[in-house]
Amino acid sequence: METERSEDRWELNKPITADAVMGAGERNPRRVLRMLTLTYLIALGAVAAWLVRYQVVGSPEMMDSYNRQIVRRIHLPPQRGSILDCNEVPIRTNAATFKFVLYLDALVDPRHGRQKCLNQIGQAIVEFAKLFDTPTYRRLLRPESDIRATLLANGPLGLVLNEDFDPSDQMMAIWAVHRGDFPHIRLERRLRRMSTYPNCLVHTAGDIRLEEPIPSPAGALSGHARDTYHLYQKEMRGISGLELACDSVLRGTPGVEEVVVTANGLQRASVISRTDPVPGGHQYTTLDTRLQAISERGFFEDGGRGAFVITTCVDGAIRAIGSAPCPPLRTPDMDWKAIEADPDHPLLNRAKQSLYSPGSTIKPLLAQAFLASGKVAFDDLILCTGKQSIGRRLRGCKRAHGHVNMGDAIRLSCNTYFHRVGMQVGGDDLREWLENAYGCNDSEEAPELALPATTIMSRTGETWRPIENWLLCIGQGATEVSVPVLANAAAALVTGVVCRPHLLRPDPHALSPVSPPPNHAICRLPTTPETRRQVLQGMIDVVHGNPATGRRAKVAGLLIAAKTGTAEKEVDGGSRRINNTLMIALVPARAPVYAIACIVEDGRSGGATVAPRLKKVIEGMLEAGLILSDEEAGEGNES
Amino acid sequence: MNRLESMEQVTRRSLDWLACFVVAALVTLSLIYIRSTDIVGPNFEIGTKWLWQAVWAALGTALLLSARSIDYRLLGPALFALYAVCVGLLLYVYFCGPVINGARRWLLLCGVISVQPAGPARFVTLLTFCYWISPKCPFELPKLLHRAIAYAILFTPAFLIAIEPAGGNALTLVLAGFVIELVHRAPTSVVRRILIYAGLGFALAQVELSWVRGRHIDPEIVREAYDWWFYGHQTNRVTWFLSEAGCWNGKQSVLSIMSGGLTGKGLGQGFLQALGYLPRGVSSSDFIFAVVGEESGFVGCAVVLCLYGTLITLGYAIAARARDPFGRLAATGITTIFALHTLVNLLMVVRMCPIIGLPLPFLSKGGTFLAMSMLGMGVLASVHRQSVKAELANAGEREAAPSPPEGVHQAVLTCGPFLRVFVEFTQSGLDECAEVLEARAAAHAAGLLFPLGPPDDPPPSGQRKTRRRRRRPPTSRQAAPQREFPNFPVPVGEAD
């Protein structure tokens, strides 16, 4: 039987034929092997072509996928700048606090499920918290939702256990002893916004909030998908007041750190690049914190609702501004509902947001307008008989003042005088004068104040009706101004220049002034030094005369020029009326430096309610050396 | 014969040494890259596990040199016993072996050293298969029965390996057997067609693959289609292969290679495997090429590709020059195993084929596979060595040349510095050099080429063939046995 073997077996002693070597027919093992070799080399060539395509030529999509996988861009929050007063005393600044941060990479075992990892992390936190006292222990324990959110974030930023605490010596000692037992926990520094004067300038300076630039789904409601490539840490953002208005200056520029993370995203392997954050610049203001503290204490220490503004007569720079009542500085455990439900509305910044009728404080401005018109002289006498019929009611003064000139009218706040002279001068001229005096024609405004627009009483017909003139001359009706405007109008009484009230000033330490100093003057009133002196004398008599409406503001050793005012206001839907009591003052009267405007809502009268508070403030200013008494000023002049 | 021809002949006779040099280069590279992947601790320190690879490399080197020194033809009768042992081990592993990662593939020696019987079983099976189908097989059986037993020899271990499960290893065994059959039996035209169709099919599959991936086909559909073909994890691999994103390992390997660029990031500077993106369990074994791509870039990958191309080319060249069918088939089988491992692994790493889990020969971490591969290289070298001996035997009278011509001496030294190393290492190397020089001198004097000759005549009974260790004085050329051989000069290796 022919077997396979006998066909092609090589027998050792038999001659070797070509057929035996080459095989029968077309079989050729060498050729087959050569073809196999060629096939293999072609396959290797295909692999080489792939390598050339992706390694040498490159693929932007793949490189982007590669970078997004292993690289994280951590945005580093910048240090927020400080808000400084005119003496470069910080109003709002940063103070270092500390926080414990738990880094999860050492606790997360990829072999374990998520719940087991959560339990391990929670247990580690409890073990750590047990080292400290009970209050700290409670603060350190984090809810499982926070742990889960941090775990799911898959980022290298860690879980903050407790922040914004000032570690006591005991706590630091415990940490120093046990830190080696908790290699995954670190004590890190964090900057916290602090107020140098905790009860001052709450409204004006404003507040900040810690927030991530990109909201995460766990927090805000925007629903943005969290980008694992860009990681943000919380940074301060202004939410009110100067913090908000000057946020662009204070915020600074965030830094960026590009790090390579491990496969679980929790651990940083190396730092690719780092751009340090640029701290925010300081914002210089015109405020004087000493004067602010004196003012807040003097005006509203005894309670009440209202506002005050103190500006410099020269350029309208606000030295002090306040509103009462004001809320406390924001804390995490504040009862916001109680604050919002407070009938006194402490969140309302009356100094910036409210408009008030100026009342009799408008009369010095009208007096200058009368003198400027030339239709009446300072010494011209007008008979005040008390009441007269204007409109449907008897209106006039509380009592008959008899023959009064302009100075007497200012001192006694004679409504009859100003109404009659006002009728002579004409309402349109007065209105125009008041628009200039109250800065209605200011096309630019200080953004940090954002004051509401002043309104001036206007006529409804072809000519002014007596009632309209009456309301205009006594500073009521549709005439409403804000408190800073009131103060600046008072300053214009002595300077003749109406300035724009402002809070901010340029950086005095700038290397080179970019532009000339800003000019805050809005317009010049057509007054003469003589008319200004005359009106000022009338205002001095308001305090130092007899009788005088502002005598309760008299301070020994200092001449004060002031004007009281009382404006009726309907509240509660017109069901009742209250008196908004006002006062404007120029101190020291011999050479006014400061213009003060103050309003107290629901008072008796300007002289009864505001004047005593003004006296306290001026006494505080004297005590603090912000103004000199007349005697000291005289001695200084002599020397 | 001019100098070029002499160099060519010397080179052809040193194919096995060239192959060993390539293997040495690959093993050296493997130690370097495996060390890079041996990251331990949170601070990414280098561990010491790569030293185990060096130990296995040393063991493999000893096996290689030992196997090379032995005449492969003497293995024949012992192969059946080895085959039985391997089948027994595979059965033992399947029924009694420890379950590691859901598979029964390993034997634990002394509870510490893990050995995979599938590795040596494949080589033994291939050699047994080659021996059975070669003319050297001592059993005379009817043709059909003979073939049935041949396929049983091949498929029995393949089945046992496949159910471990180790589908990739079983597949390479079956494919290697198929290639052996092609070389042994198939006409050239058939083989040509098969290879062309396979190449076209692969190219078409790549085009369709990009289309399928772009369509974002629901993985559940794929899973349902293939679930009954494969095990669960194999179905997952097919599913991920057809998807756009791919599986984690595949995606990371592609990113690793791509991120290396032209020159790579530097040795030990690979990010993806150090940081755990490319899992450390596979970065040193199945995905070692990704590590090469990341750390050495295109340059490193090209070097590795050239080394493998050279190795396979040399392997098939050795097979082509084998003195007998058993040697040819054995060399073919061993080389094909290497070729399949290399191709599948490279295609897998670049996502041109599903993940099958075949390591790169000599480069991937794995002691058993390295040792078996080097043993296979030893068998390959033995095949070549015997063919060289046969060639030299046909050279006729061997006269000791007083001194080889300078050019030949230079050619020998030029063939590779490794010659010097191995020559110093083994006495057989020294002998061979002497033989080569003698034969070359004799041929130069006789002005003859060396056609492929018959195997050595067996020594007369009762006489033991002794190895010549000294140069004998030239003797008269013995009369060559009568042979019917073409009269035209047939250069060695080119008789087509």
Side-chain angles (χ1 to χ4, degrees):
Chain A
M1 181 171 60
E2 193 176 82
T3 64
E4 181 182 284
R5 287 194 60 251
S6 60
E7 286 178 358
D8 50 1
R9 181 186 177 185
W10 280 15
E11 296 184 2
L12 295 177
N13 296 321
K14 287 196 177 171
I16 297 171
T17 64
D19 286 342
V21 173
M22 302 301 186
E26 53 185 61
R27 284 183 297 152
N28 193 331
R30 290 202 186 94
R31 182 169 284 177
V32 171
L33 289 167
R34 193 175 300 163
M35 285 192 286
L36 287 173
T37 307
L38 191 62
T39 306
Y40 178 78
L41 293 176
I42 291 173
L44 282 189
V47 175
W50 188 95
L51 293 174
V52 168
R53 163 67 179 89
Y54 286 104
Q55 275 190 318
V56 179
V57 176
S59 169
E61 295 83 15
M62 276 198 182
M63 186 53 74
D64 182 64
S65 174
Y66 169 77
N67 285 333
R68 292 189 70 85
Q69 178 178 269
I70 72 168
V71 176
R72 297 289 181 270
R73 299 189 83 220
I74 301 174
H75 292 254
L76 308 173
Q79 179 174 327
R80 194 170 176 83
S82 300
I83 301 176
L84 306 174
D85 75 349
C86 62
N87 299 313
E88 299 189 11
V89 172
I91 300 171
R92 289 281 193 272
T93 187
N94 304 312
T97 59
F98 295 88
K99 55 182 179 178
F100 283 117
V101 182
L102 169 66
Y103 289 92
L104 303 180
D105 52 286
L107 298 173
V108 171
D109 191 335
R111 295 170 298 179
H112 295 160
R114 186 167 296 159
Q115 190 57 46
K116 193 167 182 180
C117 291
L118 288 172
N119 295 339
Q120 283 176 332
I121 295 168
Q123 199 172 351
I125 294 173
V126 168
E127 290 296 322
F128 177 69
K130 281 180 183 174
L131 298 173
F132 302 98
D133 55 8
T134 305
T136 308
Y137 171 86
R138 287 192 189 138
R139 277 202 300 269
L140 286 172
L141 294 182
R142 298 304 300 267
E144 187 175 303
S145 57
D146 287 355
I147 303 173
R148 184 185 295 273
T150 306
L151 192 63
L152 290 177
N154 263 356
L157 298 181
L159 171 66
V160 178
L161 297 179
N162 181 22
E163 56 184 339
D164 295 342
F165 74 93
D166 291 322
S168 62
D169 293 339
Q170 184 189 11
M171 187 182 289
M172 294 304 289
I174 293 172
W175 169 247
V177 169
H178 294 280
R179 63 189 297 174
D181 301 331
F182 300 93
H184 41 275
I185 294 180
R186 293 182 212 162
L187 182 66
E188 295 181 356
R189 193 190 75 151
R190 191 182 85 77
L191 293 177
R192 185 182 176 186
R193 201 65 167 168
M194 301 292 287
S195 174
T196 312
Y197 296 86
N199 295 323
C200 277
L201 290 169
V202 175
H203 279 122
T204 305
D207 207 349
I208 57 100
R209 181 169 58 201
L210 283 179
E211 64 179 26
E212 291 182 2
I214 302 288
S216 64
L221 304 173
S222 62
H224 289 173
R226 191 176 186 86
D227 187 350
T228 58
Y229 184 70
H230 297 282
L231 301 174
Y232 295 87
Q233 293 177 302
K234 292 183 179 178
E235 56 184 70
M236 298 180 194
R237 286 295 171 98
I239 56 173
S240 64
L242 286 174
E243 296 276 14
L244 174 62
C246 308
D247 195 54
S248 59
V249 173
L250 297 170
R251 190 168 57 208
T253 306
V256 172
E257 189 179 54
E258 285 191 336
V259 298
V260 173
V261 294
T262 55
N264 59 12
L266 299 175
Q267 185 183 6
R268 303 181 197 196
S270 63
V271 178
I272 299 174
S273 67
R274 179 185 171 97
T275 304
D276 288 328
V278 177
H282 298 313
Q283 181 60 63
Y284 294 86
T285 66
T286 59
L287 294 168
D288 187 338
T289 46
R290 293 173 303 168
L291 184 57
Q292 181 74 30
I294 293 167
S295 304
E296 293 201 9
R297 201 166 46 241
F299 280 122
F300 295 105
E301 190 178 36
D302 297 330
R305 303 192 305 269
F308 67 89
V309 172
I310 302 177
T311 67
T312 54
C313 295
V314 174
D315 57 359
I318 297 177
R319 286 283 187 256
I321 180 170
S323 171
C326 64
L329 281 176
R330 240 163 52 102
T331 54
D333 52 355
M334 271 176 79
D335 186 1
W336 281 105
K337 287 187 179 176
I339 293 174
E340 284 172 355
D342 190 337
D344 288 338
H345 305 295
L347 296 177
L348 175 63
N349 187 352
R350 291 173 170 82
K352 279 173 53 178
Q353 295 173 282
S354 295
L355 288 171
Y356 298 97
S357 296
S360 296
T361 61
I362 204 173
K363 287 170 180 168
L365 294 172
L366 291 174
Q368 284 192 344
F370 295 160
L371 293 173
S373 70
K375 294 181 180 176
V376 66
F378 187 82
D379 293 323
D380 287 351
L381 296 174
I382 298 292
L383 176 63
C384 171
T385 58
K387 299 290 184 185
Q388 58 180 314
S389 177
I390 300 172
R392 298 179 190 171
R393 289 171 52 189
L394 283 177
R395 305 172 196 270
C397 304
K398 285 183 181 176
R399 60 184 180 87
H401 295 123
H403 287 92
V404 294
N405 63 7
M406 190 176 287
D408 297 330
I410 294 173
R411 175 170 58 85
L412 299 171
S413 194
C414 179
N415 297 332
T416 304
Y417 177 91
F418 283 94
H419 168 63
R420 283 194 183 167
V421 177
M423 290 295 288
Q424 284 183 15
V425 173
D428 288 338
D429 291 341
L430 292 180
R431 189 172 186 282
E432 185 182 343
W433 183 275
L434 290 173
E435 281 181 348
N436 289 331
Y438 287 137
C440 296
N441 298 321
D442 184 13
S443 58
E444 301 175 7
E445 63 172 9
E448 70 275 14
L449 287 174
L451 299 172
T454 301
T455 59
I456 308 294
M457 184 78 192
S458 58
R459 58 179 165 81
T460 54
E462 288 285 331
T463 56
W464 284 81
R465 293 183 295 152
I467 184 60
E468 292 168 344
N469 183 71
W470 169 262
L471 291 172
L472 178 67
C473 290
I474 65 171
Q476 292 211 195
T479 305
E480 288 187 327
V481 299
S482 58
V483 182
V485 167
L486 201 61
N488 263 21
L493 289 171
V494 290
T495 61
V497 176
V498 179
C499 293
R500 183 182 303 110
H502 57 279
L503 271 174
L504 306 179
R505 64 188 178 104
D507 182 358
H509 303 293
L511 291 177
S512 59
V514 178
S515 56
N519 182 12
H520 298 289
I522 300 173
C523 66
R524 182 177 288 277
L525 296 175
T527 57
T528 62
E530 180 62 21
T531 57
R532 292 197 290 269
R533 186 194 63 77
Q534 288 171 335
V535 172
L536 186 65
Q537 184 60 49
M539 292 176 68
I540 290 172
D541 293 338
V542 170
V543 177
H544 298 279
N546 190 18
T549 57
R551 62 185 179 277
R552 291 188 178 88
K554 193 188 294 185
V555 173
L558 183 68
L559 266 180
I560 301 169
K563 183 69 187 81
T564 59
T566 305
E568 278 190 342
K569 185 180 172 75
E570 288 181 352
V571 295
D572 296 338
S575 60
R576 67 185 185 99
R577 291 184 181 193
I578 61 172
N579 285 339
N580 285 340
T581 57
L582 305 94
M583 196 158 180
I584 58 173
L586 296 162
V587 291
R590 64 181 182 279
V593 175
Y594 296 106
I596 303 174
C598 175
I599 175 170
V600 178
E601 294 180 6
D602 200 12
R604 275 173 51 198
S605 66
T609 305
V610 185
R613 301 178 189 226
L614 181 63
K615 177 178 177 177
K616 276 190 199 174
V617 172
I618 294 173
E619 285 172 346
M621 291 167 72
L622 275 173
E623 195 175 351
L626 294 172
I627 52 175
L628 297 177
S629 64
D630 294 334
E631 187 179 344
E632 288 169 348
E635 289 174 359
N637 287 338
E638 286 173 2
S639 64
Chain B
M1 191 184 297
N2 58 19
R3 182 176 295 186
L4 277 177
E5 287 171 346
S6 65
M7 283 178 66
E8 183 187 352
Q9 282 216 356
V10 172
T11 304
R12 264 191 259 122
R13 290 188 184 141
S14 310
L15 292 181
D16 59 332
W17 286 118
L18 283 173
C20 291
F21 174 72
V22 170
V23 167
L26 285 170
V27 171
T28 307
L29 287 176
S30 81
L31 293 176
I32 294 171
Y33 289 114
I34 290 172
R35 184 176 181 277
S36 293
T37 64
D38 195 5
I39 305 292
V40 295
N43 298 322
F44 309 109
E45 298 105 355
I46 298 293
T48 56
K49 289 184 180 177
W50 65 279
L51 292 174
W52 280 106
Q53 187 74 2
V55 170
W56 281 105
L59 175 65
T61 304
L63 290 174
L64 186 151
L65 295 174
S66 305
R68 186 183 174 280
S69 306
I70 301 171
D71 188 355
Y72 69 94
R73 295 171 294 170
L74 302 177
L75 289 175
L79 283 173
F80 296 105
L82 287 173
Y83 177 82
V85 169
C86 288
V87 170
L89 282 176
L90 288 174
L91 286 169
Y92 176 78
V93 163
Y94 181 74
F95 289 106
C96 308
V99 177
I100 301 174
N101 294 334
R104 290 177 190 269
R105 294 179 194 165
W106 292 271
L107 283 176
L108 287 180
L109 303 180
C110 305
V112 176
I113 301 173
S114 63
V115 176
Q116 240 181 321
R122 282 192 303 168
F123 282 103
V124 170
T125 302
L126 271 181
L127 292 176
T128 310
F129 179 70
C130 295
Y131 186 73
W132 181 264
I133 64 174
S134 71
K136 282 196 172 295
C137 180
F139 301 104
E140 291 199 17
L141 295 171
K143 187 175 178 178
L144 283 179
L145 181 62
H146 193 271
R147 282 198 183 175
I149 293 175
Y151 295 143
I153 290 172
L154 181 66
F155 283 101
T156 303
F159 174 74
L160 291 174
I161 294 171
I163 62 173
E164 280 183 352
N169 290 335
L171 188 64
T172 54
L173 180 60
V174 171
L175 283 177
F178 176 68
V179 170
I180 290 170
E181 279 286 299
L182 287 182
V183 171
H184 179 59
R185 203 183 299 281
T188 310
S189 59
V190 171
V191 175
R192 188 185 300 121
R193 281 198 212 106
I194 290 173
L195 292 176
I196 290 173
Y197 292 152
L200 288 175
F202 180 76
L204 189 63
Q206 294 302 312
V207 172
E208 283 198 23
L209 184 64
S210 62
W211 182 86
V212 167
R213 286 177 178 169
R215 287 295 178 272
H216 305 290
I217 292 181
D218 186 1
E220 288 304 317
I221 297 175
V222 177
R223 194 166 282 122
E224 283 179 14
Y226 288 96
D227 208 14
W228 68 286
W229 284 95
F230 305 118
Y231 287 96
H233 69 282
Q234 295 166 342
T235 309
N236 288 337
R237 288 175 181 177
V238 173
T239 307
W240 292 329
F241 175 66
L242 295 178
S243 67
E244 175 85 27
C247 70
W248 177 262
N249 289 354
K251 180 183 173 188
Q252 297 309 315
S253 72
V254 167
L255 289 179
S256 294
I257 295 173
M258 181 274 311
S259 67
L262 186 61
T263 56
K265 298 173 185 169
L267 294 176
Q269 303 299 320
F271 279 163
L272 292 186
Q273 56 89 14
L275 301 179
Y277 291 94
L278 191 62
R280 291 175 190 172
V282 299
S283 62
S284 58
S285 55
D286 295 346
F287 289 91
I288 190 70
F289 191 72
V291 177
V292 173
E294 186 179 12
E295 296 190 1
S296 303
F298 179 75
V299 172
C301 293
V303 167
V304 170
L305 290 181
C306 289
L307 287 173
Y308 278 117
T310 306
L311 180 68
I312 302 304
T313 305
L314 290 173
Y316 283 135
I318 291 172
R321 298 186 71 247
R323 59 183 293 173
D324 63 344
F326 173 52
R328 182 187 309 128
L329 297 176
T332 303
I334 293 169
T335 308
T336 304
I337 288 282
F338 292 154
L340 286 171
H341 270 257
T342 312
L343 267 183
V344 170
N345 187 282
L346 292 176
L347 294 176
M348 169 188 84
V349 167
V350 300
R351 277 201 82 200
M352 282 190 186
C353 81
I355 293 177
I356 297 181
L358 293 179
L360 276 177
F362 310 109
L363 201 63
S364 292
K365 184 169 174 284
T368 315
F369 185 59
L370 176 64
M372 289 301 108
S373 299
M374 296 187 85
L375 182 63
M377 279 307 302
V379 173
L380 209 64
S382 173
V383 169
H384 178 69
R385 187 160 172 259
Q386 298 306 318
S387 66
V388 168
K389 274 190 180 176
E391 186 180 324
L392 293 175
N394 289 332
E397 187 177 9
R398 292 175 187 166
E399 296 179 358
S403 64
E406 195 176 329
V408 175
H409 185 68
Q410 251 185 354
V412 170
L413 294 178
T414 307
C415 274
F418 67 87
L419 273 177
R420 271 183 257 174
V421 173
F422 283 98
V423 161
E424 289 170 3
F425 206 68
T426 57
Q427 188 62 34
S428 60
L430 282 170
D431 291 341
E432 277 203 302
C433 266
E435 287 175 4
V436 166
L437 292 173
E438 286 175 7
R440 180 68 195 90
H444 182 74
L448 292 174
L449 295 174
F450 300 120
L452 183 66
D456 278 342
D457 290 335
S461 58
Q463 264 188 341
R464 197 178 68 173
K465 188 178 176 184
T466 58
R467 178 184 288 277
R468 289 181 293 155
R469 293 190 180 274
R470 297 198 191 94
R471 288 182 184 177
R472 297 181 304 170
T475 57
S476 60
R477 183 179 174 182
Q478 294 178 2
Q482 293 296 320
R483 62 181 80 101
E484 292 182 12
F485 204 78
N487 292 326
F488 56 86
V490 180
V492 173
E494 294 177 7
D496 290 335

